[in-house]
Amino acid sequence: MHSMTESESRSERDTAGGESADVVLARSQAQMAELAAQHGANPEEGKVVVLGLENVAVSYHGTEAVRGVEMNIRKELVTAFIGPSGCGKTTLLRSLNRMNDLIPGAEVSGKITYHGHDLNAAGVDPVEVRRRIGMVFQRPNPFPKSIFDNVAYGLRLHGMKDNLNDRVEKALRQAALWDEVHKRLRSSALSLSGGQQQRLCIARALAIEPDVVLMDEPASALDPIATQRIEDLVAELRNDYTIVIVTHNMQQAARVADMTAFFSVDVAESGARCGILVEHAPTVQLFTRPSDERTEAYVTGRFG
Amino acid sequence: MSAEVNPLTVVTRRSRRRKRAGIVMEALATAAAILAIVVLAIVVISVARKGLPAINADFFTKNPAPVFQTGGGIKNAIVGTLIMTGMATLISVPVGVLIAIFNTEFAPPRVAEGMRIALNVLAGVPTIVIGIFIFGLLVVGHGQSAIAASLGLSIVMVPLIARATEEVLLLVPVTLREGGMALGATRARTVITVILPTAVGGIVTATIVAVARGAGETAPLLFTSSIFANSVVTDVHQAMASIPLTIFVDSESPSVADQQTAWAAALVLMAGVLIMGVIGRALSLRTRRQIERAR
């Protein structure tokens, strides 16, 4: 995406929706060619596995929300989770940094490894997990504190207090927010616009130097221009972080992700609905040459 | 009938009855609301009319005159009420806030529900029962004391603070809790650094409302701090005078001057409680608006 001009991509978003599947597909293909040029045919080549999922299922009070997920998420790539609502993509994302611990009745089975270590093994401290695997939420959730204190929150928490000012500045620069806020670091984070708040939340997550950043539809509550900035930011961050981004917007996945995982809803004979991973492939391949017909139906707009 | 009857405006017996019932209902509800305001106004006006004449500087700065003499003020009672209510506040704020935190952050849903019922029951226990409980526990064998009185008052105040604080904590959006924890904060740390600062206005409000209630309580003091001197006492191991008991005792006195004192003391108490109530409501509205913004 960063090789396109801003006006091009914005006009494209404005026309998204309500157009024929062929047009979407044709444009996706044009984008894909561009992505392919950026990443080569196989973006996973030579990248180590950061998160490994083996037969992962998440259930709430015994009802499975997503099951049978097998995938490897590799270092310094952006992986997008796409799929219709109810397919368990957010649920799965939240199990990658133990945020599901907070939901009563939520249970994760199967094995999730982080650099080979079982995330859910006995003795694993969820605090250490979340320190290394940060998260950005669907709606901006800055604390009702100053801009500075929001970014410094995690730093203070983890005793990273040396050069606090420098660390805060670095995080705000990484989140492309420094220029807008450096003159008012002491004013309330709630005085920022929605898009700025979301970038502040990204800065807050980056400040503690995580390895992985999970983003749960980070732009879904934002206007197109703010969305654009978040996407540009994700593109910038891909060099230093492993990013997993849930999105309901296929164009967004196509624009920002190296790898894309398509989830769908499996309806059992009993009527029980459960999310499943249909296909996990390089984004270019998934959008242009999907190997599963359900993926093809979804990316061409015939379903979902 | 003519064909031009408008079915939407036609009046039947049914429609008349329906309309009448609506009017009666609205009138009754309005009357009840007016009644509440009128009662409040009558109480405020009559207490003010009877109490105001006795209020002057001496009333606040002098102790009651010795027996068979007139004059003096209620300095000892004001100081006593401030000390005892203050101590009760120091006890009940931490306990009440911790109960609220337990309920919203740590308790399983069923336990929290049980706690809520228990707190409501505790809030409904007649205060005379609380008074006799503290009497049996702390006064028998030890004598009356301001400490015993404060404990009695705090039993009244704790459920108020706990329930009101819990309501405010529940208003704090769950996304803020998740935000803290996603950065690696423990649950307890998130409570202290994110949730309590967000809810602090509401906790202050809860405290003010509870203090207003505690300052006016009489029954818990009857058994615990009613045999008091006509002078300012600051030793918490002794009984202290209080505004509610001064009202109670002086209103039963045959002396007209004492009765005057009772009315004036009632006015002081009422004014204090009303002012605290208004401040509490105003702060509470402000907090709610602030939390709404954080959503």
Side-chain angles (χ1 to χ4, degrees), chain A residues 100-147:
Chain A
N100 277 335
D101 290 14
L102 310 177
I103 297 173
E107 211 170 311
V108 179
S109 66
K111 194 169 178 189
I112 303 176
T113 56
Y114 169 74
H115 291 293
H117 308 286
D118 188 346
L119 269 192
N120 295 298
V124 170
D125 184 351
V127 166
E128 288 301 320
V129 172
R130 293 177 199 139
R131 216 206 108 150
R132 288 170 175 78
I133 307 176
M135 189 162 211
V136 175
F137 296 84
Q138 195 167 354
R139 306 222 15 214
N141 59 347
F143 304 133
K145 301 173 184 288
S146 71
I147 293 167

Side-chain angles (χ1 to χ4, degrees), chain A residues 94 127 130 141-142 145 153 158, chain B residues 175-176 178 181 183-184 193:
Chain A
R94 291 172 62 97
V127 166
R130 293 177 199 139
N141 59 347
K145 301 173 184 288
Y153 183 87
H158 298 294
Chain B
T175 55
L176 283 188
E178 290 187 338
M181 279 184 255
L183 289 171
T193 55

Side-chain angles (χ1 to χ4, degrees), chain B residues 207-261:
Chain B
T207 305
I208 291 174
V209 171
V211 167
R213 172 78 195 279
E217 277 304 328
T218 317
L221 306 180
L222 267 179
F223 301 99
T224 54
S225 184
S226 56
I227 309 164
F228 48 76
N230 268 357
S231 58
V232 170
V233 174
T234 51
D235 178 1
V236 295
H237 299 286
Q238 291 180 29
M240 291 180 186
S242 59
I243 302 176
L245 279 181
T246 298
I247 299 169
F248 178 65
V249 173
D250 283 359
S251 65
E252 299 207 314
S253 161
S255 146
V256 176
D258 282 352
Q259 290 168 16
Q260 269 275 283
T261 303

